């Protein structure tokens, strides 16, 4: 059965996720069936919406979360689970947009986001396989040189060596047993988690604080005013403030809600496979420090091992491939399995048990897009595939702003975002062409 409300062609795929198969038990949240009032109404039950709800409740507000499907339905319940410093774009994009001092503030906030994930896991006692450590790797000598230059720049300008260390080619084998990679760096503040269990844990934590969560309650209309009225099929919420955290689903579910936001993001499909459990000894040979790993290609591969049960080894969770047309690539499982075997020939005969996908909400410059469309209506979008940690901070920034401290959200809000060119019909072909160029560059590099 396809998920309700969503028109994208490939949602069948989301049914076969390893995360869904290994989800922790969770309370059943009701559907909104009456008219209620709240201080704040959050639209979207993913990381960004739940983080906003937690932070606002901590500051004394009465908060309602409306989720069209179920908690963790969107990117938050399907992603690679990698905790990564920084943004999806390079720091120089932010430096050009805001100047060096503000770019430095943005970088520091991205590190705060990593701490916040760990704080929340501890605070709400979330069982989500938190593992420390992130490894960034290059796929060729030419790309290795660029990666090294980038790392040196980050050390010089952002004192990145406080958290990260450079790995020369001769030592890379101590970190990863793969013939594909040339050199890399290790970031001790990065890491990985089971994202759906983290998301379910945040929801449970939020509900414990008094946040009212409603599932299967899609907001289809929003009447703006001093108090805003949000309408679902069976009820309404009247709230003083609204936080829109619907990712790329928002324009699909309710195109008329915030049309100006929709033009600034494009959904890009990305896919993940999970293997059968493999022996713990083999896993330790492949990624000895059990880090999350990501290569530096524009169309990148990202992978890690799952948590492991006492009676079985971990699974390889391998992500990559993209679709710019919202269509599922052909022979997806086979092509991803082949990709994984190129990276780890040792897994050539390992069975793939799960394949799923999701959409990332990319912006033109890959910087996140936070701000407001009215004095009392805020939005958080455009994480561009780099939102596991940053969404948490984004929720905190919205809460600070609603409490009258807008400085930190304003830093992000000053980043200029452009509409994707071409109307709805032309945007996708234009993006496909642009991305083919980057894929070609990946191959040549
Ligand atoms: C396959 C994949 C792999 C990724 N890997 C990584 C990774 O390893 N590391 C990383 O940092 N980032 C990664 N990302 C990105 C990261 O997952 C996202 O940036 C993050 O989860 C976005 O969270 P969100 O809360 O903004 O959106 P979502 O989690 O998508 O939540 C939005 C929710 O809003 C709901 N909604 C929308 N409209 C309405 C409406 N009108 N009414 C009610 N509800 C509505 C939707 O149903 C949805 O549940 C990945 C993403 C994908 C898809």
């Amino acid at each position: 059965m396809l998920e309700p409300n969503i028109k994208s062609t490939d949602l069948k795929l989301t049914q076969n996720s390893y995360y869904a198969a290994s989800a922790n038990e969770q309370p059943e949240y009701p559907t909104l069936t009456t008219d209620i009032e709240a201080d704040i109404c959050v639209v979207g039950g993913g990381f960004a919406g739940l983080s906003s709800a937690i932070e606002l409740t901590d500051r004394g507000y009465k908060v309602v979360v409306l989720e069209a499907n179920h908690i963790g339905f969107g990117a938050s319940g399907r992603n690679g689970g990698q905790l990564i410093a920084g943004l999806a774009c390079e720091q120089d994009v932010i430096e050009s947009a805001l100047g060096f001092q503000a770019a430095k503030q943005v970088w520091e906030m991205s590190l705060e986001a990593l701490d916040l994930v760990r704080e929340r896991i501890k605070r709400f006692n979330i069982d989500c396989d938190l593992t420390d450590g992130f490894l960034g790797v290059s796929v060729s000598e030419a790309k290795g040189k660029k990666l090294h230059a980038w790392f040196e720049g980050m050390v010089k300008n952002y004192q990145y060596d406080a958290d990260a260390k450079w790995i020369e080619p001769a030592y890379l084998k101590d970190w990863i047993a793969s013939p594909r990679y040339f050199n890399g760096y290790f970031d001790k503040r990065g890491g990985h988690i089971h994202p759906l269990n983290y998301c379910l844990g945040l929801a449970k934590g939020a509900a414990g604080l008094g946040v009212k969560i409603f599932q299967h309650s899609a907001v289809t209309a929003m009447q703006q005013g001093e108090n805003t009225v949000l309408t679902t099929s069976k009820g309404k919420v009247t709230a003083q403030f609204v936080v829109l955290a619907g990712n790329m689903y928002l324009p699909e579910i309710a195109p008329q809600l915030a049309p100006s936001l929709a033009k600034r993001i494009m959904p890009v499909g990305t896919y993940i496979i999970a293997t059968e459990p493999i022996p713990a000894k083999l896993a330790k040979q492949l990624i000895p420090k059990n880090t999350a790993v990501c290569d530096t290609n524009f169309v990148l591969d990202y992978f890690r091992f799952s948590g492991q049960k006492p009676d079985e080894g971990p699974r390889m969770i391998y992500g990559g491939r993209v679709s710019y047309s919202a269509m599922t690539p052909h022979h997806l499982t086979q092509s991803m399995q082949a990709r994984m075997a190129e990276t780890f020939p040792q897994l050539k005969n390992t069975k793939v048990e799960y394949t799923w996908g999701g959409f990332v909400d990319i912006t033109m410059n890959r910087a996140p897009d936070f701000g407001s469309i009215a004095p009392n209506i805020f939005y958080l979008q455009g994480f561009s595939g780099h939102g596991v940690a940053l969404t948490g901070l984004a929720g905190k920034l919205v809460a600070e702003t609603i409490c009258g401290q807008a400085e930190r959200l304003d830093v992000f809000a000053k980043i200029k975002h452009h509409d994707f060119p071409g109307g709805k019909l032309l945007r996708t072909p234009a993006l496909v062409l642009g991305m083919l160029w980057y894929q070609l560059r990946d191959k040549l590099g």
Side-chain angles (χ1 to χ4, degrees):
M1 191 189 74
L2 292 187
E3 300 280 352
N5 301 324
I6 306 288
K7 295 173 217 120
S8 301
T9 46
D10 80 344
L11 285 168
K12 305 190 272 313
L13 265 180
T14 67
Q15 308 298 310
N16 188 29
S17 134
Y18 160 70
Y19 301 138
S22 54
N24 293 337
E25 259 184 59
Q26 53 166 327
E28 191 48 48
Y29 302 105
T31 298
L32 181 71
T33 52
T34 52
D35 294 354
I36 58 173
E37 290 184 0
D39 299 324
I40 322 268
C41 182
V42 175
V43 180
F47 296 149
L50 293 167
S51 172
S52 307
I54 289 166
E55 292 285 336
L56 285 157
T57 310
D58 280 347
R59 288 164 175 77
Y61 291 99
K62 220 170 97 186
V63 183
V64 166
V65 173
L66 297 177
E67 165 52 50
N69 294 282
H70 53 79
I71 293 298
F73 161 83
S76 302
R78 312 169 185 204
N79 60 67
Q82 303 211 355
L83 302 168
I84 316 172
L87 310 178
C89 61
E90 295 293 352
Q91 275 303 111
D92 56 9
V93 172
I94 307 299
E95 288 173 17
S96 316
L98 305 177
F100 179 68
Q101 280 316 320
K104 203 155 184 189
Q105 229 184 321
V106 166
W107 173 258
E108 274 154 19
M109 284 195 264
S110 87
L111 301 183
E112 180 183 337
L114 295 172
D115 293 344
L116 195 58
V117 172
R118 292 180 170 89
E119 255 172 64
R120 296 229 167 110
I121 290 173
K122 206 164 163 198
R123 175 179 180 190
F124 299 120
N125 197 15
I126 304 174
D127 178 8
C128 62
D129 305 327
L130 170 66
T131 307
D132 292 332
F134 170 85
L135 187 68
V137 284
S138 69
V139 293
S140 65
E141 190 169 350
K143 291 205 166 172
K145 272 191 186 143
K146 282 189 197 147
L147 184 63
H148 193 225
W150 168 83
F151 187 83
E152 299 268 275
M154 290 302 293
V155 169
K156 182 163 166 253
N157 298 323
Y158 293 85
Q159 293 71 53
Y160 194 30
D161 47 344
D163 298 311
K165 68 178 228 173
W166 180 249
I167 305 166
E168 291 293 346
Y171 297 102
L172 196 64
K173 63 177 182 341
D174 298 339
W175 296 83
I176 185 164
S178 167
R180 269 190 77 202
Y181 301 116
F182 180 72
N183 58 13
Y185 68 95
F186 166 68
D187 181 332
K188 67 176 185 213
R189 271 168 99 157
H192 53 97
I193 54 172
H194 184 306
L196 178 59
N197 281 339
Y198 177 59
C199 195
L200 296 174
L202 287 181
K204 207 166 159 187
L209 297 175
V211 174
K212 290 205 163 62
I213 297 177
F214 296 97
Q215 300 189 131
H216 307 290
S217 304
V219 176
T220 50
M222 181 167 76
Q223 198 186 331
Q224 297 183 28
E226 201 178 320
N227 283 317
T228 298
V229 182
L230 298 109
T231 306
T232 69
S233 66
K234 295 185 183 141
K236 288 188 172 124
V237 178
T238 303
Q240 206 185 335
F241 292 97
V242 174
V243 181
L244 298 174
N247 198 347
M248 39 60 58
Y249 300 101
L250 190 69
E252 288 209 20
I253 295 172
Q256 70 292 357
L257 222 63
S260 60
L261 298 184
K263 295 179 192 154
R264 301 214 291 264
I265 50 170
M266 274 294 290
V268 170
T270 166
Y271 304 92
I272 303 183
I273 52 175
T275 65
E276 63 186 324
I278 67 162
K281 206 168 147 203
L282 174 59
K284 183 118 182 97
Q285 279 165 17
L286 298 184
I287 307 179
K289 317 264 190 293
N290 199 14
T291 53
V293 187
C294 201
D295 72 38
T296 53
N297 274 343
F298 189 80
V299 179
L300 45 84
D301 285 9
Y302 51 98
F303 49 88
R304 65 185 178 86
F305 283 110
S306 70
Q308 101 186 55
K309 297 191 185 128
D311 50 344
E312 67 179 33
R315 298 165 189 269
M316 168 62 72
I317 311 278
Y318 199 98
R321 293 224 53 176
V322 286
S323 159
Y324 299 106
S325 61
M327 302 292 288
T328 304
H330 292 300
H331 310 298
L332 183 61
T333 303
Q334 293 88 327
S335 67
M336 293 210 36
Q337 189 165 20
R339 187 83 181 168
M340 176 181 72
E342 261 179 62
T343 303
F344 294 115
Q346 305 89 327
L347 298 181
K348 196 169 62 179
N349 298 319
T350 304
K351 234 170 62 202
V352 170
E353 290 192 345
Y354 301 92
T355 307
W356 68 98
F359 292 98
V360 297
D361 48 343
I362 63 162
T363 57
M364 285 279 278
N365 59 7
R366 309 293 185 271
D369 182 11
F370 308 157
S372 60
I373 53 169
N376 57 349
I377 303 180
F378 296 88
Y379 67 87
L380 302 170
Q381 66 169 14
F383 292 94
S384 302
H386 204 106
V388 171
L390 199 64
T391 41
L393 181 92
K396 191 170 176 182
L397 300 186
V398 160
E400 288 172 4
T401 306
I402 290 176
C403 283
Q405 289 173 303
E407 296 83 1
R408 299 208 306 160
L409 188 76
D410 278 354
V411 174
F412 281 94
K414 281 190 191 124
I415 302 171
K416 280 214 169 50
H417 287 280
H418 297 286
D419 294 351
F420 277 91
K424 204 167 177 192
L425 282 177
L426 282 178
R427 281 196 306 158
T428 298
L431 184 72
V432 171
L433 274 179
M435 295 301 149
L436 282 174
W437 158 242
Y438 280 110
Q439 275 170 326
L440 186 67
R441 260 186 19 174
D442 280 348
K443 288 208 171 81
L444 296 174

